[in-house]
């Protein structure tokens, strides 16, 4: 095969337009790309042989050149609040975690974009665990495919948030390809209003994203002055607040939509009244919604969650400045599934008897891993 795709490349790593171009180089009608995508993403085909409206010759030709990957959870934990954390083994022996969160009549899936994270935020367990590698676009997409398959309940998976392990804008190309599948009419057909990318604030990539994709953007601000932000988020040295907020101003936000700013509340670090007032000043020029995330603790962390009165007072001050402010009391804390609690080497937490997936056991509150 004279192509840039080596034998048995994962079709989920190939953009639909690239697949169409590649097929047409081989004298196969490019519209077949859409047909193949629909088999995979609408009808969940796991082999080319299932694609019965393609000729046998074409099915064989594709099977000899491409594969259709999927992820299968090795372990599932269910929280008391109904959240489910999935541990997926990857082909190279690493693992990645995703979290399904029940929200009224629908589910939100929190997906990972990297194994570990290179950004090193001090309050984040993923960040303190180091970086292993980027996920392929297939590995990102397959977290969503697996969650959709696992949901037997009548409530559908409608929302996707890039808030699991990793910094999505540090794995730009693969994340972009995955977003195209999430939103595409031949892909998974999620609404662009229901897909959110959360970033630590890689300003240059925010500009690129504004041109390349249309989805919700959330910025993990976490501090309202450079000294505090640099202390807890090393990325702030490369992209300080003025560079970050300028990129946010340039980001195209459709009418009726808002940027989200996330703010992890750390006791005595960024939770004072002065911090709230400074934050209100910084965000004044934006159509913004603020999500306050009380710190989710993990072993060995030097930070503490502020007392509830402090959290509520911080919220009140921002409300007085006319912002919409939600406090995100993260779900799934009892299973280590809350924001910032996912970790790189999930297997290191396995108990000796945790070799089998056992949802029921998790439901009774025992540790599965
Ligand atoms: N890398 C991206 C997305 C993953 S982190 C980002 O940083 O935005 C998702 C969210 O979890 C971010 O807003 C981050 O600030 C927050 N977070 C990280 N560690 C946390 C912790 N221990 N407690 C509460 N929120 C945390
Ligand atoms: Fe990475 Fe986000 Fe954690 Fe920072 S908060 S270390 S960017 S996952």
């Amino acid at each position: 095969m004279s192509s840039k795709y080596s034998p048995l490349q994962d079709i989920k790593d190939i953009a639909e337009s690239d697949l169409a171009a590649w097929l047409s180089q081989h004298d196969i009608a490019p519209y077949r790309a859409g047909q193949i995508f629909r088999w995979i993403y609408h009808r969940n085909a796991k082999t080319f042989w299932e694609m019965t409206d393609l000729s046998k010759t074409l099915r064989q030709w594709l099977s000899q050149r491409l594969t259709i990957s999927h992820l299968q959870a090795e372990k599932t934990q269910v929280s008391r609040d109904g959240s489910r954390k999935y541990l997926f083994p990857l082909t190279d022996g690493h693992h990645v975690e995703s979290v399904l969160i029940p929200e009224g009549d629908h589910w939100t899936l929190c997906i990972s974009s990297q194994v570990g994270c290179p950004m090193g935020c001090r309050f984040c367990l993923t960040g303190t665990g180091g970086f292993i590698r980027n996920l392929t676009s297939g590995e990102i997409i397959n977290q969503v495919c697996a969650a959709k398959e696992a949901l037997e309940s009548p409530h559908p998976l409608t929302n996707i948030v890039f808030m699991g392990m990793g910094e999505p804008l540090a794995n730009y190309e693969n994340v972009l390809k995955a977003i195209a599948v999430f939103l595409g009419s031949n892909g998974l057909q999620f609404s662009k209003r229901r897909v959110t990318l959360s970033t630590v604030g890689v300003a240059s990539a925010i500009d690129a994203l504004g041109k390349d994709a249309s989805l919700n953007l959330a910025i993990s601000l976490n501090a309202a002055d450079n000294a505090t932000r640099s202390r807890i988020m090393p990325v702030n040295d490369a992209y300080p607040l003025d560079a970050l907020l300028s990129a946010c101003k340039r980001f195209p936000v459709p009418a009726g939509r808002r940027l989200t700013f996330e703010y992890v509340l750390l006791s005595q670090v960024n939770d004072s009244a002065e911090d709230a007032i400074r934050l209100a000043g910084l965000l004044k020029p934006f159509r913004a919604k603020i999500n306050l995330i009380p710190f989710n603790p993990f072993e060995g962390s030097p930070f503490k969650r502020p007392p509830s009165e402090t959290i509520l007072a911080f919220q009140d001050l921002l409300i007085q400045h006319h912002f919409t402010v939600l406090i995100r009391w993260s779900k799934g804390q009892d299973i280590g599934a809350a924001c910032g609690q996912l970790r790189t080497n999930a297997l290191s937490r396995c108990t000796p008897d945790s070799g089998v997936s056992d949802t029921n056991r998790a439901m009774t509150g025992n540790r599965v891993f």
Side-chain angles (χ1 to χ4, degrees), residues 11-12 36-45 51 68:
I11 193 168
K12 291 182 176 173
I36 295 166
F37 262 47
R38 289 193 296 278
W39 268 106
I40 295 172
Y41 295 116
H42 296 186
R43 302 170 77 170
N44 209 10
M51 304 181 183
I68 306 172

Side-chain angles (χ1 to χ4, degrees), residues 10-14 40-41 67-70 137-138 141-142 145:
D10 183 8
I11 193 168
K12 291 182 176 173
D13 288 336
I14 304 173
I40 295 172
Y41 295 116
T67 182
I68 306 172
S69 68
H70 63 279
S137 57
I141 293 164
N142 281 332
C145 296

Side-chain angles (χ1 to χ4, degrees), residues 70-75 87-96:
H70 63 279
L71 288 178
Q72 196 157 13
E74 188 173 284
K75 298 192 175 63
L87 176 71
F88 295 111
L90 306 174
T91 50
D92 60 359
H94 293 301
H95 288 77
V96 78

Side-chain angles (χ1 to χ4, degrees), residues 140-141 162 174-184 195 197 209 213-215:
I140 299 169
I141 293 164
F162 279 92
N174 294 342
V175 163
L176 209 62
K177 263 190 273 177
I179 291 170
V181 166
F182 296 158
L183 303 181
V195 178
L197 184 146
L209 187 71
S214 178
L215 77 174

Side-chain angles (χ1 to χ4, degrees), residues 87-138:
L87 176 71
F88 295 111
L90 306 174
T91 50
D92 60 359
H94 293 301
H95 288 77
V96 78
E97 293 180 326
S98 319
V99 182
L100 254 178
I101 303 154
E103 292 187 309
D105 61 353
H106 68 270
W107 291 87
T108 291
L109 183 69
C110 175
I111 57 171
S112 297
S113 55
Q114 299 181 310
V115 185
C117 183
M119 309 310 291
C121 303
R122 313 253 188 264
F123 50 82
C124 172
L125 181 60
T126 311
T128 54
F131 174 62
I132 306 247
R133 69 166 173 85
N134 284 331
L135 293 182
T136 64
S137 57

Side-chain angles (χ1 to χ4, degrees), residues 87-268:
L87 176 71
F88 295 111
L90 306 174
T91 50
D92 60 359
H94 293 301
H95 288 77
V96 78
E97 293 180 326
S98 319
V99 182
L100 254 178
I101 303 154
E103 292 187 309
D105 61 353
H106 68 270
W107 291 87
T108 291
L109 183 69
C110 175
I111 57 171
S112 297
S113 55
Q114 299 181 310
V115 185
C117 183
M119 309 310 291
C121 303
R122 313 253 188 264
F123 50 82
C124 172
L125 181 60
T126 311
T128 54
F131 174 62
I132 306 247
R133 69 166 173 85
N134 284 331
L135 293 182
T136 64
S137 57
E139 288 165 340
I140 299 169
I141 293 164
N142 281 332
Q143 295 170 59
V144 179
C145 296
K148 280 184 74 159
E149 254 182 85
L151 282 177
E152 320 88 27
S153 78
H155 302 311
L157 174 64
T158 53
N159 293 43
I160 300 174
V161 293
F162 279 92
M163 292 188 190
M165 291 162 70
E167 167 49 41
L169 295 186
N171 182 15
Y172 191 75
E173 293 303 324
N174 294 342
V175 163
L176 209 62
K177 263 190 273 177
I179 291 170
V181 166
F182 296 158
L183 303 181
S185 58
N186 293 327
L188 292 167
Q189 297 181 301
F190 281 83
S191 156
K192 64 185 175 190
R193 301 167 75 95
R194 291 172 176 268
V195 178
T196 302
L197 184 146
S198 173
T199 176
V200 72
V202 185
S204 55
I206 290 174
D207 279 329
L209 187 71
K211 296 189 181 85
D212 292 339
S214 178
L215 77 174
N216 299 319
L217 184 65
I219 310 289
S220 297
L221 203 60
N222 300 338
D225 66 274
N226 278 317
T228 309
R229 196 161 191 270
S230 286
R231 194 142 51 87
I232 57 175
M233 301 173 75
V235 70
N236 197 65
D237 293 337
Y239 299 106
L241 283 170
D242 50 348
L244 171 57
L245 294 175
S246 302
C248 292
K249 278 182 199 142
R250 293 190 292 270
F251 190 81
V253 181
R257 311 288 302 156
R258 283 180 286 185
L259 280 176
T260 301
F261 289 91
E262 293 161 289
Y263 194 100
V264 178
L265 280 165
L266 307 166
S267 181
Q268 317 241 318

